[in-house]
Amino acid sequence: MKTIEFESQRVSLWYFRLALVLFILQVIMGLWLSINYAFTLPQELVNVFPFSTAREIHTNTLVAWMLLGFMGGTYYILPPECDRELYSTKIAYLQLIIFVAAAVTAVIGFLFGWTRGKPLLEIPFPLNALIVVAALLFIANVAMTIMKAKVKTALQWMLLGGVTFLALMYLFGMPFYRNLNTDYYYWWWVIHLWVEGAWEIVTASIMAYIIMRVTGVERQVVEKWLYVETGLFLFTGIVGTGHHYYWIGAPDYWLWWGGIFSALEPLPIVLMVVDTWMHVRERRNPIVNPLTWYYIVGLAIYHLVGAGLWGFMHTLPPVNRYTHGSQITVSHGHLAFFGAYALLNLTIFYFAMPRLKGITKYHDTAGRWGFWITTIAMFTLGLVFGIAGILQTYLERFLDIGYSTAQQTMMLWFRIAFGVGLIFLGGVLTTIWHLFTLKPSDKQPAEEVVVTPAANI
């Protein structure tokens, strides 16, 4: 049985594989960071591999494997959505080579102190230039594929808009402004408008496609919600950036504008959960691989709790005044990134990789173990970081106790976090092993209902 419609979809497989390798590296670096918090390490060891280097690798591999998943997912869904092959598979492979070469060089450079020291954007300018070249190749390939498509759909334009917005925002983080406040002003343009703007558009577009294919729900139903969710993400996310300006000397009105619109940011996520539930009820296709649906539902719920509700409570101005930069931020960051984007990438992988291997239905026992271990462990990890953050906020910012003294009282929670992190790593390795060794089930189902652009004209 043919499981993919266009040969050019196969370029996405290497994007997925390399993303999963970087995922493992990111988690290992996260464990090393937690060791630094949980135990007093010998200075000789810290001198060889300092905390700052591990943090750079941890955060930058996060960005790298997320982007590889987005790019690979885009290249997988674009041919069937446009009803034609990719404009150029050679450009797709060239882009991949440039991007991975820049990412690997950056990690090696961090080990030798080649860094700008700019949180989450530590990559030096020459490597940034290579990333921009890869991004331009990606946008050109996506745009030309869409332009040459016989049928144009809202999903295509949303996807193109998202990847273009993503690349455009990256440019604002490349210069290093002499004034630190100015530098952080534009830094938030990248960090916040990526996470709560461009990445959300890409997420909504890719999930809309996967939901159509998995459930068989009519395109008009999915695209209606796509318009609403994307509009709200942009409406709340762009203005909501202002809640960060409290700390960089921007005018006072930004504090309230940012706080009010940040409070509205859970609204599109709530709609995403409602949307997902509606598709469950209205589906026409039997769920062939339940694990893929686990990830779709898990993404919606985690997105709501981690990015939405926890972000809402944490970023309200009267609260954020005390919690900013504490372990509560770490808790929110882990739950939000895992829920909104790590689960998105894993949904893409479980949707696409079996089809790229010619498998319609696969054995999913190991995959289910991986899903439940990672999702429960990450929720527990977020809870532990949250407790440590509440303790830190009370000791440091209410009682005015020094950082080092407060740190001693928090070490128990960091040791618990390290133990939970080991369990999470076990779940990640189980999931990745399952994805790399997918095997067909003994009983293969009939082919799914395919919703193509032409069917809805």
Side-chain angles (χ1 to χ4, degrees):
M1 182 185 296
K2 188 175 181 180
T3 51
I4 60 171
E5 296 142 80
F6 297 91
E7 283 301 309
S8 58
Q9 290 177 274
R10 296 190 184 280
V11 302
S12 61
L13 187 57
W14 276 105
Y15 283 83
F16 300 155
R17 288 169 174 168
L18 291 169
L20 289 169
V21 171
L22 290 178
F23 186 21
I24 295 174
L25 178 59
Q26 185 217 346
V27 175
I28 291 172
M29 286 298 102
L31 284 170
W32 178 252
L33 292 174
S34 69
I35 290 175
N36 281 260
Y37 277 110
F39 305 98
T40 302
L41 301 179
Q43 188 61 42
E44 296 77 12
L45 181 59
V46 174
N47 291 340
V48 173
F49 191 56
F51 179 90
S52 58
T53 301
R55 184 178 184 274
E56 288 168 348
I57 297 174
H58 179 63
T59 55
N60 282 271
T61 49
L62 163 70
V63 174
W65 89 267
M66 294 291 168
L67 291 177
L68 283 172
F70 296 166
M71 291 172 177
T74 301
Y75 281 144
Y76 182 84
I77 73 173
L78 206 56
E81 182 63 21
C82 295
D83 199 23
R84 56 158 287 125
E85 299 285 0
L86 281 178
Y87 175 72
S88 173
T89 55
K90 292 181 179 179
I91 290 178
Y93 282 121
L94 175 61
Q95 167 207 332
L96 177 63
I97 292 168
I98 293 172
F99 186 90
V100 172
V104 171
T105 304
V107 170
I108 296 172
F110 293 154
L111 296 173
F112 293 94
W114 191 33
T115 171
R116 294 197 300 164
K118 195 172 183 178
L120 294 171
L121 300 174
E122 290 96 344
I123 297 177
F125 186 82
L127 298 180
N128 266 328
L130 287 178
I131 297 293
V132 170
V133 170
L136 290 174
L137 290 173
F138 178 54
I139 293 170
N141 210 4
V142 171
M144 290 303 297
T145 304
I146 292 174
M147 293 298 181
K148 290 182 173 292
K150 295 179 180 178
V151 176
K152 304 294 191 295
T153 67
L155 195 151
Q156 295 169 9
W157 295 114
M158 290 288 188
L159 197 55
L160 178 59
V163 299
T164 304
F165 186 24
L166 186 153
L168 181 63
M169 287 299 102
Y170 187 75
L171 297 176
F172 289 96
M174 291 179 64
F176 215 133
Y177 303 92
R178 186 171 299 177
N179 184 292
L180 189 60
N181 281 349
T182 303
D183 195 66
Y184 266 85
Y185 180 82
Y186 290 112
W187 184 84
W188 282 117
W189 281 32
V190 183
I191 304 305
H192 185 94
L193 291 178
W194 258 15
V195 175
E196 315 229 12
W199 286 18
E200 293 284 11
I201 299 174
V202 175
T203 298
S205 302
I206 292 176
M207 286 305 299
Y209 175 84
I210 293 176
I211 285 173
M212 282 192 297
R213 297 302 296 262
V214 171
T215 65
V217 173
E218 293 293 337
R219 176 175 294 271
Q220 291 90 336
V221 176
V222 176
E223 288 189 346
K224 175 189 69 176
W225 284 100
L226 180 62
Y227 280 124
V228 174
E229 290 164 12
T230 303
L232 284 172
F233 276 127
L234 290 176
F235 180 68
T236 59
I238 291 175
V239 184
T241 309
H243 79 253
H244 300 291
Y245 297 163
Y246 176 88
W247 303 99
I248 59 175
D252 289 345
Y253 61 78
W254 272 118
L255 175 64
W256 293 106
W257 277 107
I260 291 168
F261 279 84
S262 290
L264 295 174
E265 285 177 14
L267 181 58
I269 304 174
V270 170
L271 290 179
M272 181 181 287
V273 176
V274 173
D275 184 21
T276 304
W277 174 246
M278 286 181 61
H279 296 323
V280 172
R281 297 180 60 187
E282 296 177 12
R283 68 178 184 265
R284 292 187 294 145
N285 289 351
I287 302 301
V288 175
N289 292 302
L291 185 56
T292 307
W293 195 247
Y294 283 12
Y295 274 100
I296 292 173
V297 176
L299 183 151
I301 295 172
Y302 245 100
H303 204 147
L304 173 62
V305 175
L309 298 180
W310 197 215
F312 163 68
M313 292 186 291
H314 167 48
T315 57
L316 286 172
V319 177
N320 194 241
R321 176 181 179 183
Y322 296 99
T323 63
H324 188 85
S326 70
Q327 292 299 318
I328 293 177
T329 304
V330 175
S331 172
H332 166 54
H334 278 76
L335 291 175
F337 270 103
F338 178 76
Y341 303 118
L343 287 180
L344 168 67
N345 273 355
L346 291 171
T347 302
I348 296 169
F349 301 159
Y350 268 109
F351 175 76
M353 289 181 76
R355 290 165 168 80
L356 291 167
K357 294 183 177 183
I359 300 171
T360 303
K361 182 174 175 60
Y362 53 83
H363 286 290
D364 65 359
T365 303
R368 291 193 190 206
W369 274 102
F371 171 83
W372 287 113
I373 291 172
T374 53
T375 52
I376 294 173
M378 180 53 71
F379 184 83
T380 306
L381 192 63
L383 186 63
V384 170
F385 282 140
I387 294 172
I390 293 170
L391 183 62
Q392 178 187 14
T393 300
Y394 179 70
L395 293 176
E396 290 183 18
R397 299 172 186 183
F398 280 90
L399 300 184
D400 201 25
I401 293 175
Y403 173 83
S404 297
T405 304
Q407 171 72 12
Q408 295 300 314
T409 67
M410 296 160 59
M411 290 183 77
L412 169 65
W413 295 104
F414 290 129
R415 289 169 183 171
I416 295 172
F418 175 68
V420 175
L422 287 174
I423 296 172
F424 181 77
L425 175 62
V428 169
L429 292 174
T430 302
T431 299
I432 294 174
W433 175 81
H434 183 241
L435 281 166
F436 276 109
T437 60
L438 285 168
K439 292 181 173 59
S441 174
D442 297 331
K443 188 175 182 181
Q444 293 296 304
E447 195 167 355
E448 66 186 359
V449 176
V450 176
V451 181
T452 62
N456 293 281
I457 299 299

